[in-house]
Amino acid sequence: MEYFWYIIAAAGAGIGTGLAGLSAATVMVPILIVLCPSFGGYYGAYQATAIALASDILGSAVTSYTYAKNKNIDLKHGWVMLVCIIALSSVGSYVAYLVGNVVLGGFTLFLTFCIGIRFIVRPDTSKSGASASNVRLGLKEIIILYSLV
């Protein structure tokens, strides 16, 4: 039965990533923690998070290849995202190490619930097809942009 939940978690992560742009961790981690007994041990939440992030890395690599092939990569503005991701991933990893497995698992489930409520209450139905690669972002816009994510 556990293999069934593995397949459901992987399919949900793929569908969520492809259709809504969600992280695989949003779908995979709660399913693996709650429904799979092998992720119930002391390191269960860490293992589920690591598997979901590895899935995100693979998906991001495929997306990056597709963008590069179609010449849709903006390296001028990409460094801001790179710095933010590296800094916040480092801080998040350290905090996750400090708080322990139970707090990490519970916090992940709580945030997943909040994200689901947010998509139900205020879905993103905008269809913005215009590229903003020639827009210069200032420090204020960068802070506002990353605080909304």
Side-chain angles (χ1 to χ4, degrees), residues 54-122:
S55 174
D56 276 339
I57 290 170
L58 182 61
S60 294
V62 171
T63 302
S64 297
Y65 171 76
T66 304
Y67 283 159
K69 188 173 83 171
N70 294 318
K71 297 181 183 1
N72 288 331
I73 292 184
D74 182 16
L75 295 177
K76 291 179 185 175
H77 296 103
W79 69 271
V80 175
M81 185 179 292
L82 175 70
V83 169
C84 291
I85 288 171
I86 289 174
L88 293 176
S89 295
S90 300
V91 170
S93 296
Y94 183 69
V95 170
Y97 169 74
L98 292 177
V99 298
N101 185 38
V102 175
V103 175
L104 179 64
F107 188 66
T108 302
L109 292 174
F110 174 73
L111 283 182
T112 304
F113 177 75
C114 290
I115 290 170
I117 295 297
R118 187 242 179 239
F119 276 111
I120 291 171
V121 172
R122 201 176 73 187

Side-chain angles (χ1 to χ4, degrees), residues 5-31:
W5 293 118
Y6 294 156
I7 293 169
I8 294 298
I15 292 169
T17 302
L19 295 179
L22 296 173
S23 169
T26 306
V27 178
M28 291 181 85
V29 173
I31 291 174

